[in-house]
Amino acid sequence: MKKWLMYSAAPLLSVTLLAACGGSDGDDGSSSESVEGETTSETIGSGDIELVFWEFGNTGYDKLIEEYVEENPDITINLQNSDMNDMHDNLFTSISADTGAPDIAMIEEAQIERYRTAEDSFNNLYDLGAGDVQDEFLDWVWNNSENASGDFVFGLPTDIGPTVMFYRTDVFEEAGFDSSPEAVSELIPTWDAYEEVALQIYEETGKLMTDAGELIYNARRDQASQQYFNTDEELIIDDHPEIREAYNYTADFFDQDLAGDIPLWTPEWFAGMADGSYATMLAPAWMQGVIKDNSPEEGVWSITTMPEGAGNWGGSFLTIPSESEHAEEAYAFISWLTAPEQQLKSFLDYGLFPSAPAVYEMDEFINYEDSYFGGIPTAQVFSEAAQQVIPVYKGRNYYSIDDVIKEALDNVSAGDDRDEEWSASLDTIDRILAR
Amino acid sequence: MKAAQSTQIDPSKKPKGNREKRRTALAAYFFVSPFFILFLIFGLFPMVFSFYLAFFRWDGLGEMTYVGLANFQFIFNDPVFYSSILNTFIIGLLGTLPQIIFAILIAFALNSALIKFRNTFRTIIFLPYITSVVAVAIIFGVVFNNQPFGFVNYLLSLADIEPIRWNAEYWPVKIAIATMVFWRWVGYNTIIFLAGMQSIPKELYEAAKIDGATISQQIRLITLPMLKPITLFVVFTATIGSLQLFTEPLIFLGRNLREEGITMVAYLWRDAFVYNSFGTASAAAIALFFIIIVLTVVNLLITSRMGRSKKVG
């Protein structure tokens, strides 16, 4: 029964990206592609050793692979791109069945928790030499890829998603504020200030602070030192105030009608980016592609720091399932792909934000100015954010729990009592964890 | 007639016939074997494995732990499980009952001699059925949008009705999903009914017209009684279809599947592939299996009763 469900469900899962895209790496709004749920397959190179590489999102890795196979003529890489949820579900099934896994699989940072119990199904990259490149990456990213005792590492980090505040310069000006990134950053150093500014903008212009209140919750959640679980997989949501504060803070916005309740990744949410009907969008680095796609006019959006520090939303790891017959070749390839030089190219071409801090020192990176965002050095804002990120342990039921809280917030936005919704969602969470 | 002939011929060639029969039988089994092999692999094995899994706790990757009846206890104590059953029936009724009535009426209209371009209309009415169900759910997601500018909410606002949260409130969710089911299947059923209607002799209608019967009398006294077997077929397929309802709620509500709109299949899918709890998912599958058995028996009882009343009448 589970198999036929799997097969019938697979094409549908793709669409639910819209609902569960907690951190689709580098998914820069190519949702039309994702909705179709197609897997594209591309074979690059003509060497004898073929590596199958499963990826998702819009990484632009095909270009880098062409470069790699030119230098390594014995390698052929079969790059298969699918929707994020599809890819993870397929990987899950093939690992569960012990057959069909690729040589290289990209795993999203929160999804990696799902595979923790399957250490046997992956190569320990420390055995392949990952210890040598460990220092190239941000510590917190690396830790997310390790097991609890730190002697097993699942994958090499690709990009990350440090969060910043995107804002509409036109709305800020209309409300009588200086709209330069420095001024906005000074204007909104704290979440209290963010709420005050929201009130002022609403009074002056009648516009909302954001159209998706969910993003406010995400931003505050990602700044918390601990989220839903501690490292022993115990639920800490109730005796750990930060999440409740994030929840209440978002509920305040809904109660005062300062935030809309448009779900992310829906057509109206995409359309809203061009409208200028709201002032800010709290989002990670890879969202810049989404904004550019949906709001083509240059110079209206700008970027500044988020109040009270950054969080991380998204990013991926490249893993080598133990089924692979070419683990060493695969490792050589992924360590090349995640090396600082290649990460710089991914950033310049696709906006994927590097997980290797060495890139932050490179001239090309520092001097990168984006005319779309008013010609400011965007890379610097992001790298500043990246270094502020507090590492959190997410746990294997992360997305399920997160969805329950989002549902509660959705009900609050429609006028339900926030405390009742909170305790109802705790009950639901208990039932999910009891399964 | 043929059977009688073969028994006459058979005795004289008995031995050879038997051997031949066996060979034919073997060949027949050979030719049908792909079905049975595929059924064993993709049908029977997963079913049996699902029964087995229902007694274990398993996340799909790690160790399986035997837990006895705990999975059943769990789902029978889960209010969402009961919601999912109730939702399935409510959406099923909302989606199929009006659909069958409409399908009969449309089929009657398409069957009548008065309508021009009948073939064009028949094609148009069938089109929704061949549309991808995913596309349907996405389009209806836009139509039944929560926001004031959503299509249905906009129409309602013209009548001064407050915007409705179509994917979150108890009845609106069900109505929205039932509408998708209605839209997609009404054409299919219309074509089935149309086929049935065309087998009704024209003379009956002509005689009725001469006797001065109105159109509603014609539908009530000729069309409906003559369509009984077709109606039974449509009701059965619609029942099975609504028990399997999955794609529409999944895409309309998202992977989280709110309690207001979750259906039985969606419930067990979510347990397995979102919560990675294959044990409770299998337990739910078994519960669903028994619900389907009960419904089938009820359906069979009704059919045989209808058959009997036909003979009496």
Side-chain angles (χ1 to χ4, degrees):
Chain A
M1 184 150 272
K2 78 176 224 220
K3 268 206 177 117
W4 69 257
L5 261 178
M6 184 73 231
Y7 291 130
S8 54
L12 315 176
L13 291 175
S14 61
V15 181
T16 53
L17 159 91
L18 306 173
C21 184
S24 119
D25 152 68
D27 181 286
D28 54 10
S30 54
S31 65
S32 57
E33 205 175 81
S34 316
V35 165
E36 285 156 21
E38 279 170 13
T39 297
T40 55
S41 175
E42 213 179 327
T43 306
I44 304 166
S46 52
D48 291 337
I49 299 168
E50 195 192 66
L51 301 175
V52 178
F53 181 3
W54 287 3
E55 61 146 20
F56 55 84
N58 217 340
T59 58
Y61 284 160
D62 47 346
K63 268 205 218 157
L64 289 170
I65 289 172
E66 269 164 29
E67 225 176 277
Y68 185 77
V69 293
E70 232 167 75
E71 291 166 25
N72 299 273
D74 52 332
I75 304 281
T76 302
I77 290 172
N78 179 354
L79 180 70
Q80 298 182 10
N81 185 301
S82 349
D83 158 73
M84 182 178 87
N85 279 321
D86 276 357
M87 204 231 84
H88 286 102
D89 284 335
N90 290 344
L91 183 66
F92 186 89
T93 327
S94 52
I95 281 175
S96 174
D98 276 331
T99 174
D103 296 285
I104 301 157
M106 188 165 170
I107 301 184
E108 206 263 340
E109 53 125 9
Q111 295 269 358
I112 201 159
E113 307 293 347
R114 232 171 134 185
Y115 301 92
R116 289 225 188 263
T117 47
E119 241 171 60
D120 294 348
S121 304
F122 291 92
N123 275 293
N124 183 356
L125 299 192
Y126 278 134
D127 297 342
L128 294 165
D132 301 338
V133 292
Q134 183 174 355
D135 294 338
E136 284 180 14
F137 300 96
L138 291 169
D139 285 343
W140 59 266
V141 189
W142 190 266
N143 291 344
N144 283 348
S145 179
E146 271 182 336
N147 68 353
S149 52
D151 51 17
F152 188 98
V153 67
F154 281 87
L156 297 183
T158 58
D159 64 320
I160 53 172
T163 49
V164 294
M165 186 163 81
F166 294 88
Y167 66 96
R168 301 268 317 193
T169 51
D170 50 349
V171 178
F172 270 76
E173 275 161 25
E174 206 185 326
F177 296 114
D178 183 346
S179 70
S180 73
E182 299 79 24
V184 173
S185 169
E186 245 168 69
L187 179 70
I188 311 179
T190 61
W191 288 110
D192 288 340
Y194 184 78
E195 198 171 339
E196 260 167 48
V197 169
L199 273 166
Q200 286 174 31
I201 287 179
Y202 188 71
E203 274 166 24
E204 294 292 325
T205 66
K207 288 176 176 172
L208 301 176
M209 196 59 166
T210 177
D211 69 338
E214 186 178 335
L215 289 174
I216 298 179
Y217 173 77
N218 285 351
R220 295 217 47 176
R221 177 200 65 201
D222 290 342
Q223 286 178 352
S225 58
Q226 280 183 299
Q227 293 187 6
Y228 305 140
F229 297 96
N230 64 17
T231 44
D232 298 325
E233 279 290 330
E234 289 161 346
L235 187 73
I236 50 164
I237 184 169
D238 209 19
D239 37 44
H240 187 70
E242 284 167 287
I243 292 298
R244 185 71 191 268
E245 275 164 22
Y247 174 85
N248 280 332
Y249 184 81
T250 314
D252 285 343
F253 269 76
F254 284 137
D255 286 352
Q256 302 173 78
D257 287 325
L258 295 175
D261 185 32
I262 296 186
L264 305 188
W265 318 111
T266 54
E268 62 270 24
W269 183 68
F270 289 124
M273 287 173 207
D275 284 352
S277 54
Y278 59 93
T280 66
M281 171 140 75
L282 305 163
W286 47 261
M287 196 68 89
Q288 50 184 326
V290 182
I291 297 176
K292 283 177 184 171
D293 280 355
N294 291 289
S295 174
E297 195 189 335
E298 282 200 359
V300 288
W301 282 96
S302 189
I303 306 175
T304 190
T305 48
M306 179 112 96
E308 298 180 31
N312 181 64
W313 176 2
S316 312
F317 299 99
L318 297 177
T319 64
I320 305 176
S322 31
E323 239 186 274
S324 169
E325 283 169 17
H326 308 290
E328 272 167 34
E329 289 85 351
Y331 178 77
F333 167 66
I334 63 171
S335 57
W336 175 85
L337 192 61
T338 54
E341 299 75 42
Q342 276 62 248
Q343 289 212 22
L344 175 69
K345 286 176 195 158
S346 293
F347 172 77
L348 295 176
D349 291 347
Y350 286 86
L352 301 185
F353 197 79
S355 56
V359 181
Y360 310 163
E361 319 279 305
M362 295 179 182
D363 287 342
E364 239 180 304
F365 184 82
I366 296 173
N367 299 329
Y368 178 73
E369 283 173 0
D370 197 332
S371 64
Y372 179 84
F373 293 106
I376 57 164
T378 55
Q380 281 180 36
V381 187
F382 292 127
S383 59
E384 206 179 298
Q387 277 150 335
Q388 285 173 357
V389 173
I390 307 164
V392 282
Y393 178 77
K394 290 200 162 164
R396 48 180 293 251
N397 287 301
Y398 182 82
Y399 279 143
S400 310
I401 308 298
D402 201 52
D403 280 346
V404 174
I405 293 176
K406 297 276 170 63
E407 191 180 309
L409 276 171
D410 186 34
N411 292 339
V412 171
S413 79
D416 288 357
D417 181 77
R418 64 171 80 169
D419 295 322
E420 273 169 33
E421 285 297 326
W422 178 264
S423 56
S425 45
L426 288 185
D427 289 345
T428 312
I429 290 170
D430 281 342
R431 279 204 309 273
I432 293 175
L433 297 180
R435 271 167 222 263
Chain B
M1 188 65 177
K2 264 181 188 166
Q5 260 175 3
S6 63
T7 43
Q8 269 176 352
I9 297 162
D10 259 347
S12 57
K13 295 178 177 179
K14 209 176 178 183
K16 195 187 171 190
N18 247 358
R19 214 180 306 137
E20 211 157 79
K21 247 189 198 166
R22 205 179 304 138
R23 275 179 56 191
T24 337
L26 267 177
Y29 281 122
F30 176 77
F31 282 116
V32 295
S33 66
F35 166 76
F36 287 99
I37 293 166
L38 287 176
F39 173 73
L40 277 177
I41 300 170
F42 295 106
L44 195 64
F45 169 72
M47 273 194 263
V48 172
F49 188 60
S50 178
F51 268 82
Y52 172 80
L53 263 185
F55 299 94
F56 289 84
R57 201 188 154 112
W58 188 43
D59 66 0
L61 293 177
E63 291 285 298
M64 285 185 180
T65 347
Y66 178 75
V67 290
L69 291 172
N71 287 330
F72 291 96
Q73 261 168 5
F74 181 86
I75 61 161
F76 289 128
N77 283 318
D78 185 3
V80 183
F81 179 67
Y82 295 101
S83 305
S84 77
I85 297 178
L86 191 63
N87 289 346
T88 309
F89 282 99
I90 294 176
I91 297 170
L93 274 179
L94 282 180
T96 52
L97 213 63
Q99 185 195 123
I100 290 170
I101 297 167
F102 263 83
I104 292 181
L105 293 178
I106 299 169
F108 189 80
L110 288 178
N111 195 34
S112 81
L114 295 173
I115 286 188
K116 280 183 179 172
F117 309 115
R118 265 186 294 176
N119 287 332
T120 319
F121 281 116
R122 282 173 196 176
T123 317
I124 290 172
I125 196 79
F126 194 68
L127 278 179
Y129 177 70
I130 56 167
T131 320
S132 147
V133 60
V134 175
V136 175
I138 291 173
I139 301 286
F140 275 77
V142 175
V143 171
F144 289 103
N145 192 295
N146 288 347
Q147 305 297 326
F149 51 74
F151 182 68
V152 178
N153 278 345
Y154 174 73
L155 292 183
L156 290 176
S157 76
L158 297 179
D160 277 335
I161 300 172
E162 286 284 295
I164 292 172
R165 297 171 71 222
W166 288 102
N167 63 15
E169 280 171 50
Y170 192 83
W171 284 104
V173 169
K174 297 177 175 65
I175 292 171
I177 296 174
T179 314
M180 290 180 222
V181 177
F182 176 90
W183 186 81
R184 203 164 99 86
W185 285 90
V186 76
Y188 173 81
N189 287 332
T190 305
I191 297 296
I192 304 275
F193 278 123
L194 189 60
M197 281 177 194
Q198 288 183 335
S199 67
I200 302 174
K202 288 243 162 46
E203 296 80 32
L204 288 176
Y205 290 107
E206 277 162 19
K209 268 184 218 156
I210 291 167
D211 289 345
T214 61
I215 288 193
S216 79
Q217 278 171 327
Q218 287 176 26
I219 295 181
R220 213 153 26 92
L221 299 170
I222 303 172
T223 317
L224 289 184
M226 298 294 280
L227 276 181
K228 206 182 251 172
I230 303 284
T231 316
L232 281 174
F233 169 77
V234 168
V235 169
F236 283 8
T237 47
T239 314
I240 294 166
S242 35
L243 285 172
Q244 291 174 337
L245 206 61
F246 171 67
T247 321
E248 289 91 344
L250 177 68
I251 293 162
F252 188 61
L253 297 171
R255 229 169 137 99
N256 188 24
L257 291 156
R258 288 183 68 111
E259 187 179 340
E260 289 85 355
I262 192 168
T263 58
M264 283 189 283
V265 180
Y267 177 91
L268 73 90
W269 173 82
R270 185 178 67 168
D271 261 20
F273 296 106
V274 179
Y275 298 155
N276 285 345
S277 169
F278 288 87
T280 53
S282 301
I286 290 170
L288 178 61
F289 173 74
F290 282 109
I291 291 171
I292 291 176
I293 287 187
V294 169
L295 276 180
T296 315
V297 170
V298 170
N299 265 343
L300 282 174
L301 286 178
I302 295 173
T303 333
S304 66
R305 247 184 99 190
M306 281 185 130
R308 228 182 298 136
S309 68
K310 209 173 171 182
K311 268 177 217 157
V312 175

